[in-house]
Amino acid sequence: MAETHCPYCALQCAMTLDGAQVTPREFPTNRGGLCQKGWTSGALLTSPVRLTTPLVHGRPASWDTALDFVAGQIERIQREHGRDGMAIFGGGGLTNEKAYALGKFARVALRTSQIDYNGRFCMSSAAAAGNKAFGVDRGLPFPVADLGDADLILLVGANPAETMPPFMQHIKAGLVVVDPRRTATAERATLHLRPAPGTDLALALGILHSAFSEGYAEHDYIECRTQGFQDAWRIAAAWWPERVERVTGVSATDQRAVARMLAEAKNAYILTARGTEQHASGTDTVSAWINLALALGLPGKPGSGYGCLTGQGNGQGGREHGQKADQLPGYRRIDDPAARAHVGKVWGVDPSSLPGPGRSAYELLDALGRPQGPKGLLVFGSNPVVSAPRATHVTERLQALDLLVVADFVPNETTALADVVLPVTQWAEEEGTLTNLEGRVLHRRPALQPPSGVRSDLEVLRELAIRLGTPAKMFPTIAEEVFDELAKASEGGIADYSGITYARLRDGEALHWPVPDRRHPGTPRLFTDRFGHPDGRARFVPVDHKGPAEPPDDDFPLMATTGRVLAHYQSGAQTRRIDELVAAVPESYVEVHPDTAGLAGLADGDMAEIESRRGKVSARVRYVASMRPDTVFLPFHFPGENSANRLTNPALDPTSRMPEFKVCAVRLLHGGME
Ligand SMILES: Nc1nc2c(c(=O)[nH]1)N[C@H]1C(S)=C(S)[C@@H](COP(=O)(O)OP(=O)(O)OC[C@H]3O[C@@H](n4cnc5c(=O)[nH]c(N)nc54)[C@H](O)[C@@H]3O)O[C@H]1N2
Ligand SMILES: Nc1nc2c(c(=O)[nH]1)N[C@H]1C(S)=C(S)[C@@H](COP(=O)(O)OP(=O)(O)OC[C@H]3O[C@@H](n4cnc5c(=O)[nH]c(N)nc54)[C@H](O)[C@@H]3O)O[C@H]1N2
Ligand code: SF4
Ligand SMILES: [Mo]
């Protein structure tokens, strides 16, 4: 029996594993609850699809053969194309230890600048906006359980009733949901605002406009705790509610009602997620919601606040320890000389040998195999063939590589293209830490022995590093040793883990970073006295509405938006292997208003073809009377002909480099493939 946490999302529900048998465990985030994915997560531990033998060009090989081959190819590629000829793509599901080791492997063993990860597709816009406003990016700067005392919660672009079901227990009071679709979460709301996809920024400006004009702004707070209100207000002043109604479709009355509800609540929270962020103007959109929260005096006020729901199991920790292109451990910047000096010392390397910032996730995938781009790629913890935007193009770029190596424990659409597949241990077979959506560092204990033949990601990195001539001691394989080094590397950084030890975590201490020394109790609530900027004040960021990068037109008259369903996780690599989840949602579908479907001659249950400028997909029509007639929705969990990402637009946010997963122009046709 081992006390552990779920392998999937950032809520990190606590569970006990007895062999592969899951039982929920009491914990502040899940209070004894689990969703269907958590309940069934044990199934993959005993699944016959499990990868247990390295594959080289599709044929079983010994570990030595596979690793020698990979190391030999890396050396050849770097000799011919330079250090940046090799690239790494990581994931926000990796433990802190793995994310740290991967970043170190890139900078020290490969000495490449070309490393990024799927978190760029996930939360990078909220991270960028949080850094601008608060000088710190921690998803929720307060414990989840605090939400229980609020009178009002405004949830923007988030569907936790499907994406984190046990989270809904914390919402006890008034709930306002902003989502173009009437989701399971919106069903629970006191008020549901249904803006057109990609128009949230205008909506936030409209609500700020109402709040200020009606006299709800917290002038003392604005004066004492913030900077820059006037510049932000100058833009919002031009967005009176009737103008916003024309752009968003949300009535002026509803905008005013939300402003009033927020102002009248004694304690209120504004929370955002991917619906707000996955846009070419996602950073500005999050800034607009933060501006509203600041004008109402919420961030840092006890019992109130702004937060962003992180997504992947280690969505938070995964972006703190150096697998991001511009980053070193401790949430340090790779272009900061002091950060390079500190981390260089911990690693025992000359800081000048550390590469600079590399390409962001989509830019990296897009550059693969091109004359100036990487020729080899190592993937740990992602399935970009299904999850990257403009997926057909990304697939072609992966095929253009000289060397594609994927470490995974199940075969997926990306391992199918790989020259070398390395079978690794999965969550319950190894030890490690993750940082959940509230910045709390959690310890996962090993519950069962891995099958023979598999190795851990940490062992793979060490074996490759040795073959590339790096001293073995630089890449320990015991998670606790890696953590202790990570803690040192993070010391003095924004995400300071230096006071955290495995012993403290095993004792069950609730350690929310920063934890700057061993006696420090952790920081469950940030911003109560000051924000992270040197002057302690939060910043309003002046932002204006731009709208989607690809608005609908005569050829592609509808907007497609994409997201999640309860039963499947991400690219589906894990959940499409679990019978109970496949039975719940066996295939892709498209949610469409009956009138819109009718115009295309499509009945409920027909196969439709959905086409954008980048490609075509098939999906079964679901009549949903509450859909906006101008919008269709597809889940992105399915591959091949059903992959929503064959449609999506890789237009990138200029700051976060996040692609616009949440809106592209499409047309709906009869006759998709069954
Ligand atoms: N079941 C399940 N749970 C998961 C995951 C999973 O794959 N499956 N993945 C995990 C991960 S990594 C993440 S990031 C989280 C994501 O969690 P969420 O952000 O809750 O999930 P999404 O479905 O991507 O998007 C949320 C909502 O945004 C809406 N939306 C689309 N366009 C817009 C827009 O322009 N404005 C607004 N306001 N809303 C819009 C969609 O209709 C959708 O209902 O879930 C985590 N939990
Ligand atoms: N259209 C559209 N596309 C999207 C989104 C959307 O809303 N719409 N959301 C985006 C978001 S928020 C995200 S987070 C991405 C996620 O999409 P992906 O990055 O593809 O994430 P997963 O499907 O979780 O892929 C994880 C793979 O890594 C493996 N894996 C899990 N843990 C480990 C480990 O510890 N080590 C190793 N080596 N492998 C491991 C799993 O078996 C699986 O094959 O998708 C993005 N794509
Ligand atoms: S809500 Fe998230 S962490 Fe909890 S059981 Fe479901 S997938 Fe796992
Ligand atoms: Mo995500």
Side-chain angles (χ1 to χ4, degrees):
M1 296 255 273
E3 293 192 343
T4 184
H5 294 266
C6 176
Y8 301 118
C9 86
L11 198 59
Q12 281 300 293
C13 297
M15 52 171 66
T16 304
L17 273 173
D18 185 0
Q21 186 64 41
V22 171
T23 355
R25 190 158 58 85
E26 194 56 36
F27 194 71
T29 60
N30 64 308
R31 298 203 165 136
L34 288 179
C35 79
Q36 193 182 15
K37 295 185 301 302
W39 275 110
T40 54
S41 59
L44 263 196
L45 295 169
T46 51
S47 168
V49 303
R50 184 66 190 274
L51 292 167
T52 53
T53 315
L55 301 172
V56 177
H57 298 127
R59 281 185 293 279
S62 71
W63 271 99
D64 276 338
T65 310
L67 292 165
D68 289 346
F69 176 79
V70 172
Q73 290 295 310
I74 291 173
E75 278 172 345
R76 179 190 62 75
I77 288 171
Q78 290 196 316
R79 202 168 46 240
E80 289 173 12
H81 303 283
R83 294 279 180 185
D84 284 357
M86 279 306 302
I88 293 187
F89 200 85
L94 302 178
T95 58
N96 289 319
E97 292 78 2
K98 292 180 188 185
Y100 170 81
L102 201 59
K104 182 178 179 185
F105 180 83
R107 276 63 175 244
V108 173
L110 295 180
R111 291 178 57 187
T112 178
S113 69
Q114 301 296 297
I115 172 168
D116 211 49
Y117 80 122
N118 68 7
R120 192 72 79 159
F121 297 160
C122 184
M123 255 201 75
S124 54
S125 294
N131 280 324
K132 285 188 191 190
F134 308 124
V136 177
D137 149 42
R138 199 182 89 190
L140 299 183
F142 46 80
V144 175
D146 282 9
L147 296 171
D149 298 325
D151 314 292
L152 188 75
I153 294 176
L154 175 61
L155 265 182
V156 192
N159 182 17
E162 294 202 66
T163 54
M164 295 185 180
F167 173 90
M168 296 304 281
Q169 300 172 83
H170 299 282
I171 302 183
K172 301 205 178 99
L175 174 64
V176 176
V177 169
V178 179
D179 195 307
R181 300 187 302 137
R182 190 157 180 87
T183 56
T185 310
E187 291 286 348
R188 301 263 302 265
T190 329
L191 182 62
H192 171 207
L193 309 185
R194 218 171 41 144
T199 65
D200 281 32
L201 208 166
L203 181 60
L205 291 169
I207 300 175
L208 175 59
H209 185 105
S210 301
F212 189 72
S213 331
E214 305 283 336
Y216 301 142
E218 285 288 332
H219 293 285
D220 289 349
Y221 174 100
I222 292 173
E223 179 72 23
C224 303
R225 298 212 57 187
T226 72
Q227 253 189 33
F229 175 71
Q230 283 309 328
D231 289 340
W233 169 248
R234 235 189 307 282
I235 299 171
W239 286 94
W240 55 95
E242 286 72 15
R243 179 181 174 207
V244 170
E245 176 172 340
R246 285 199 297 279
V247 172
T248 62
V250 175
S251 73
T253 317
D254 280 351
Q255 295 170 49
R256 294 196 175 97
V258 173
R260 193 180 57 248
M261 289 162 83
L262 283 167
E264 284 175 355
K266 196 155 104 357
N267 289 314
Y269 289 90
I270 299 179
L271 305 177
T272 60
R274 304 306 85 76
T276 325
E277 297 160 24
Q278 291 174 327
H279 294 280
S281 55
T283 304
D284 284 358
T285 305
V286 177
S287 292
W289 291 107
I290 295 177
N291 287 347
L292 174 64
L294 289 172
L296 295 167
L298 306 181
K301 174 181 155 192
S304 294
Y306 162 79
C308 157
L309 301 175
T310 63
Q312 299 180 82
N314 200 25
Q316 183 68 48
R319 67 177 185 272
E320 298 167 354
H321 306 301
Q323 61 175 328
K324 196 161 174 253
D326 53 2
Q327 210 182 51
L328 288 174
Y331 218 122
R332 290 181 157 93
R333 293 186 58 93
I334 203 165
D335 57 7
D336 168 5
R340 296 168 67 86
H342 173 81
V343 175
K345 195 161 159 229
V346 175
W347 288 351
V349 300
D350 181 350
S352 66
S353 72
L354 298 173
R359 293 178 172 94
S360 77
Y362 179 76
E363 291 165 296
L364 176 59
L365 295 171
D366 181 46
L368 298 177
R370 294 190 194 275
Q372 302 306 317
K375 305 295 184 293
L377 178 72
L378 314 181
V379 179
F380 287 80
S382 184
N383 184 13
V385 167
V386 178
S387 57
R390 198 184 171 201
T392 314
H393 171 73
V394 165
T395 306
E396 284 164 13
R397 298 321 318 154
L398 290 164
Q399 285 165 330
L401 286 167
D402 291 357
L403 177 71
L404 175 62
V405 180
V406 183
D408 211 308
F409 41 79
V410 284
N412 66 27
E413 292 69 19
T414 306
T415 62
L417 304 181
D419 299 292
V420 179
V421 179
L422 301 173
V424 291
T425 47
Q426 56 177 319
W427 116 101
E429 299 157 354
E430 54 189 26
E431 192 170 22
T433 64
L434 294 94
T435 307
N436 77 353
L437 76 171
E438 44 179 24
R440 176 171 173 174
V441 183
L442 305 173
H443 179 234
R444 276 190 194 159
R445 292 164 207 261
L448 66 178
Q449 287 292 322
S452 70
V454 308
R455 295 194 181 176
S456 74
D457 290 303
L458 294 175
E459 286 166 336
V460 169
L461 292 174
R462 176 194 178 92
E463 289 297 321
L464 287 175
I466 293 170
R467 285 167 171 78
L468 295 168
T470 317
K473 70 173 189 322
M474 291 183 91
F475 288 92
T477 57
I478 295 170
E480 185 168 357
E481 286 176 26
V482 180
F483 187 87
D484 289 344
E485 187 186 310
L486 173 167
K488 282 197 198 90
S490 77
E491 188 173 355
I494 292 175
D496 188 333
Y497 284 45
S498 58
I500 308 179
T501 59
Y502 267 38
R504 294 185 73 180
L505 295 173
R506 284 194 192 105
D507 281 348
E509 278 192 75
L511 296 173
H512 301 250
W513 67 254
V515 190
D517 65 67
R518 301 239 167 134
R519 277 171 307 279
H520 192 282
T523 316
R525 294 173 192 82
L526 292 167
F527 314 145
T528 46
D529 305 322
R530 60 193 318 278
F531 294 99
H533 290 298
D535 61 4
R537 288 167 176 265
R539 305 281 189 272
F540 282 91
V541 179
V543 289
D544 205 348
H545 179 63
K546 289 190 202 68
E550 187 185 57
D553 57 20
D554 289 349
D555 292 332
F556 298 94
L558 298 170
M559 283 177 283
T561 189
T562 61
R564 298 164 162 80
V565 301
L566 201 165
H568 288 290
Y569 191 67
Q570 317 278 57
S571 71
Q574 290 156 275
T575 52
R576 284 185 280 111
R577 303 284 183 181
I578 296 178
D579 294 343
E580 193 178 324
L581 301 177
V582 173
V585 182
E587 58 173 8
S588 188
Y589 58 85
V590 55
E591 290 183 2
V592 44
H593 189 279
D595 292 349
T596 309
L599 281 175
L602 287 160
D604 192 32
D606 280 355
M607 285 306 278
E609 194 166 276
I610 303 101
E611 187 173 11
S612 79
R613 286 189 177 78
R614 291 153 296 278
K616 252 187 223 177
V617 303
S618 299
R620 197 171 297 282
V621 173
R622 278 198 191 174
Y623 274 21
V624 178
S626 59
M627 279 303 278
R628 295 175 54 98
D630 59 4
T631 304
V632 300
F633 168 83
L634 295 104
F636 79 100
H637 311 295
F638 298 90
E641 298 289 330
N642 309 115
S643 169
N645 276 321
R646 291 192 173 187
L647 304 173
T648 48
N649 182 6
L652 299 183
D653 180 281
T655 309
S656 67
R657 320 305 286 167
M658 161 92 105
E660 186 143 275
F661 286 117
K662 288 290 193 264
V663 209
C664 68
V666 296
R667 58 186 170 219
L668 186 64
L669 306 163
H670 202 278
M673 295 208 326
E674 282 281 349

